[in-house]
Amino acid sequence: MTEIKLFGMALIIISAAAIGCIFADRAKREIKALSSLSRCLMVFESEIRYCNTPLREICARIYVSGELWSDFFGYVSEMLSENDPDAGTGIIWETGAGLFDAPRFLSAEDREEFLRFGNELGKNDRESELGRINMYIDHIKNRLSLLEKNINERVRLCRLLGVTAGVFITILMV
Amino acid sequence: MDKLDEICRILRDMPGVLIRGLDIDHTLLQEIRLRPFRPLMIKYGGREYFVSEKKRLTENIREAYVVNENDIKNTFLALSGFSTYAFEEEMRRGYITIAGGHRVGIAGKTVTADSKIKSMKYVSFINIRAAGERRGCADDVMPYLFSGDRMMHTLIISPPGAGKTTLLRDIVRQVSDGCGVRRGKNVGVVDERSEIAACYHGIPQNDVGMRTDVIDGCPKAEGMMMLVRSMSPEVIAVDEIGTKEDMEAVFYAASCGCAVIATLHGDGIEDIKDSTHMTGIFGRYVILKQDRYGKRKISVHDGKGMRINDRD
């Protein structure tokens, strides 16, 4: 009986610790996703500034770049090529955000900002478009510096909280 | 993909649904016009019709579908491939060429800086003109444009809307592919307004022949120089010349051994007689005119102005 109890306690603690690790990993992935998004936006910026490349082609270029967001932008490019009469950029962007991993790594606040950016993309003149992209890049940079500053503590905290929660639940159950 | 499919790819919302649903002969479709809070109109077989909500052509304005702001806004976004910024130059010129070579004219509020059009916002009027190639329309003219195997410098003169560009396009195609016993020649086309080849993403949508290189959206004078230097054409075709710079480029191309085919707005040879920079180079003048019934008349003249073809 005692062995089973001990085995159960160990399982609870290990599971809780694993959940803590998952949260820690998610924090790291959020940073990776934002850095990758920032690089993709730089491609947008340079393609629009120097080549006036349409969105569909920019997305196709990012698709082959091997970035974390490649699949998402591949989807956007494909949907824009199909020219579905019922879908605008906003709808395509939002649908894509629900289909692929990279957008899921973003926090709710960042995700909302990302969707807002996509909804307005391609509707303005060149200067406005570049202004919006640069502003969004700056926003991401600020978010990244904030996240990177706290990432070690956040990871440690997630792991520690996982183990602590496991121990706490075990004590409660015993 | 047929003409209507190509056009319907850019039509959004109700206008798209209605035009797609029309049971018409697509080859006779000429124009589709969208104006805010005005009936959806099409020009079909030379006549103007309204499009009803029952997906039928009608002449009764009460049955007509009335276009709203969103129809135009969404159609314009689709037209630009959801990349308005990428079409600023075209917006400045007032038209965008889409796949199939169809031309979409736009009008709205222009943004100006230093008395020059910088861009256009609030695009509110859209006119989709279906492209219509007329293969073979130059058949009667071709025999007069050659001296032996040598192509003569040719100037096509006509008032607007009489078919200069259509004729030029067919001449280019026939010179490039070869016609009758004549071998095909390398042709360079300077298509400043994308009217001759109607390039879409750099690919000609109209048949301009197998030996034709097109430089699209480039100012005529610069384009001619570039073609001569880079593509070694035997013939250079250019639409609507007029300025001194254009003529200097024509002389340059001619001095490099290229035959030049060009078009010019006017009523006849008399219109260019006063223009010293226009005379002296062309060996053939093709004059296009339309009679009051809309029938086209073509006369071909030699370099001295003597008519050399015997029928219109």
Side-chain angles (χ1 to χ4, degrees), chain B:
Chain B
M1 199 185 282
D2 79 357
K3 191 193 268 189
L4 201 65
D5 287 336
E6 287 161 351
I7 290 173
C8 283
R9 277 173 70 83
I10 62 151
L11 280 170
R12 292 288 153 134
D13 303 338
M14 272 308 272
V17 174
L18 296 178
I19 300 283
R20 246 177 242 119
L22 287 176
D23 183 21
I24 54 171
D25 176 1
H26 302 172
T27 54
L28 297 177
L29 180 66
Q30 292 169 286
E31 253 180 37
I32 301 171
R33 283 186 183 269
L34 282 80
R35 298 179 176 105
F37 309 112
R38 301 286 173 194
L40 175 61
M41 295 161 90
I42 77 168
K43 198 170 173 188
Y44 175 75
R47 290 181 66 184
E48 194 177 74
Y49 296 94
F50 303 117
V51 180
S52 79
E53 292 196 32
K54 290 174 186 163
K55 301 176 185 171
R56 281 205 326 254
L57 297 184
T58 175
E59 288 182 317
N60 183 355
I61 194 164
R62 287 186 189 156
E63 291 176 13
Y65 170 75
V66 177
V67 177
N68 61 44
E69 271 178 298
N70 271 342
D71 292 338
I72 295 178
K73 196 174 141 194
N74 292 335
T75 297
F76 177 67
L77 270 176
L79 164 70
S80 66
F82 300 97
S83 313
T84 313
Y85 59 85
F87 289 89
E88 283 188 3
E89 185 54 41
E90 285 87 344
M91 282 165 74
R92 259 197 290 272
R93 291 190 302 200
Y95 61 86
I96 295 173
T97 304
I98 61 168
H102 311 294
R103 171 165 294 201
V104 185
I106 50 174
K109 178 164 174 51
T110 54
V111 181
T112 53
D114 301 327
S115 308
K116 284 186 179 169
I117 297 171
K118 195 167 169 264
S119 182
M120 192 184 284
K121 64 175 181 177
Y122 307 129
V123 171
S124 316
F125 305 92
I126 295 178
N127 173 25
I128 304 167
R129 288 168 63 189
E133 276 184 278
R134 293 183 61 189
R135 290 168 72 96
C137 68
D139 287 355
D140 293 340
V141 179
M142 289 309 291
Y144 302 102
L145 305 185
F146 288 85
S147 170
D149 192 42
R150 193 168 62 90
M151 172 100 202
M152 307 290 285
H153 300 301
T154 305
L155 184 64
I156 303 168
I157 306 170
S158 92
K164 286 185 299 293
T165 309
T166 310
L167 181 69
L168 175 65
R169 187 186 303 126
D170 202 48
I171 292 175
V172 166
R173 182 183 63 81
Q174 296 203 30
V175 171
S176 172
D177 287 344
C179 52
V181 292
R182 289 190 186 91
R183 66 170 183 86
K185 293 176 186 292
N186 287 326
V187 183
V189 173
V190 185
D191 202 1
E192 185 173 4
R193 303 199 304 174
S194 307
E195 278 185 313
I196 306 171
C199 285
Y200 176 71
H201 289 176
I203 298 167
Q205 303 292 303
N206 291 328
D207 183 4
V208 283
M210 68 172 108
R211 296 182 187 83
T212 302
D213 306 306
V214 182
I215 188 155
D216 184 48
C218 179
K220 287 180 276 278
E222 273 180 66
M224 279 189 268
M225 306 267 198
M226 277 171 73
L227 276 176
V228 169
R229 288 185 206 125
S230 58
M231 305 306 286
S232 59
E234 295 166 272
V235 178
I236 284 188
V238 60
D239 204 9
E240 290 178 15
I241 56 167
T243 65
K244 202 174 170 188
E245 291 74 33
D246 293 344
M247 275 315 293
E248 279 169 6
V250 167
F251 275 109
Y252 173 75
S255 66
C256 293
C258 301
V260 178
I261 321 169
T263 71
L264 179 77
H265 278 304
D267 273 329
I269 301 176
E270 305 78 45
D271 285 358
I272 64 156
K273 272 187 179 162
D274 301 332
S275 173
T276 48
H277 60 267
M278 284 282 176
T279 49
I281 180 167
F282 293 104
R284 293 287 183 268
Y285 295 99
V286 179
I287 316 293
L288 280 177
K289 278 183 182 163
Q290 271 184 330
D291 63 17
R292 59 191 177 129
Y293 304 107
K295 194 173 175 249
R296 195 163 67 170
K297 294 182 168 186
I298 302 177
S299 58
V300 185
H301 303 251
D302 66 13
K304 290 173 187 162
M306 298 290 289
R307 184 164 178 171
I308 51 174
N309 70 330
D310 48 2
R311 64 186 179 94
D312 287 332

